[in-house]
Amino acid sequence: MDYKIIASDLDGTLLDSTGHISNENFEAIKQLNKSSVYFVPASGRTLAEMPKELVENENIRYIIYSNGAVVYDKITGKKITFCMPDSIKNELVDLIFNCDSHLTIRFDGMGYVDKKCFQ
C-alpha cells in the first residue's frame, strides 16, 4: 500500500514526556518527506501552541490544529477551516452562558478564555 499522508497526535505520541521530538522521529519525518509522503502533526492545540520545531520544520507542509477545525498549509499560508453553522453556534453559546461552564474560544490559531475563570 502506498501512503500519501501520515498524521500523528502530539502529546504521548510524537512528543516525548518532556514535550520534545526525538531525533529518531525527526529523521523519520525527513525520510517520509523524501519518499513523497506528507507527515502531518495533528493536535487539539492552537497554531500558537504548536511546538516551534514542528512549525518551522522544512519537512512538514501541513498542520492540523484546534481539534481538527483547521488544516494549515505552511507553503501557501492557506487555512482550510471546518466550522459549525452560525445557527448551531448561536444556540450552543446561549446554552453555555446559561450553565455554570468554562468557555474557551479558538480563533485564527489562538485560544481565548474568560479571565474570570482564572481569578
Side-chain angles (χ1 to χ4, degrees):
M1 176 175 282
D2 293 327
Y3 293 99
K4 301 294 181 197
I5 297 174
I6 295 178
S8 175
D9 185 37
L10 299 186
D11 300 311
T13 307
L14 180 66
L15 305 179
D16 63 21
S17 61
T18 65
H20 293 94
I21 304 166
S22 69
N23 289 335
E24 292 84 4
N25 283 343
F26 267 124
E27 185 60 31
I29 292 168
K30 185 176 180 180
Q31 292 305 316
L32 287 170
N33 188 43
K34 284 183 178 179
S35 300
S36 299
V37 176
Y38 290 109
F39 175 80
V40 182
S43 178
R45 300 174 187 209
T46 64
L47 185 59
E49 297 169 312
M50 295 294 282
K52 189 175 183 178
E53 53 196 349
L54 287 176
V55 175
E56 294 179 354
N57 188 311
E58 65 185 16
N59 295 299
I60 296 174
R61 177 173 179 172
Y62 300 100
I63 298 174
I64 299 172
Y65 63 89
S66 294
N67 289 322
V70 183
V71 178
Y72 175 56
D73 183 338
K74 292 175 17 181
I75 292 176
T76 65
K78 184 176 180 181
K79 295 176 186 175
I80 302 168
T81 58
F82 304 95
C83 297
M84 66 180 76
D86 285 344
S87 60
I88 295 173
K89 176 182 64 184
N90 293 339
E91 287 181 40
L92 186 58
V93 168
D94 287 343
L95 178 66
I96 290 170
F97 282 127
N98 288 315
C99 298
D100 183 22
S101 59
H102 170 83
L103 179 64
T104 300
I105 297 173
R106 293 172 184 255
F107 177 74
D108 201 25
M110 298 295 293
Y112 301 91
V113 296
D114 187 346
K115 69 179 180 180
K116 293 184 289 186
C117 296
F118 293 97
Q119 294 179 353

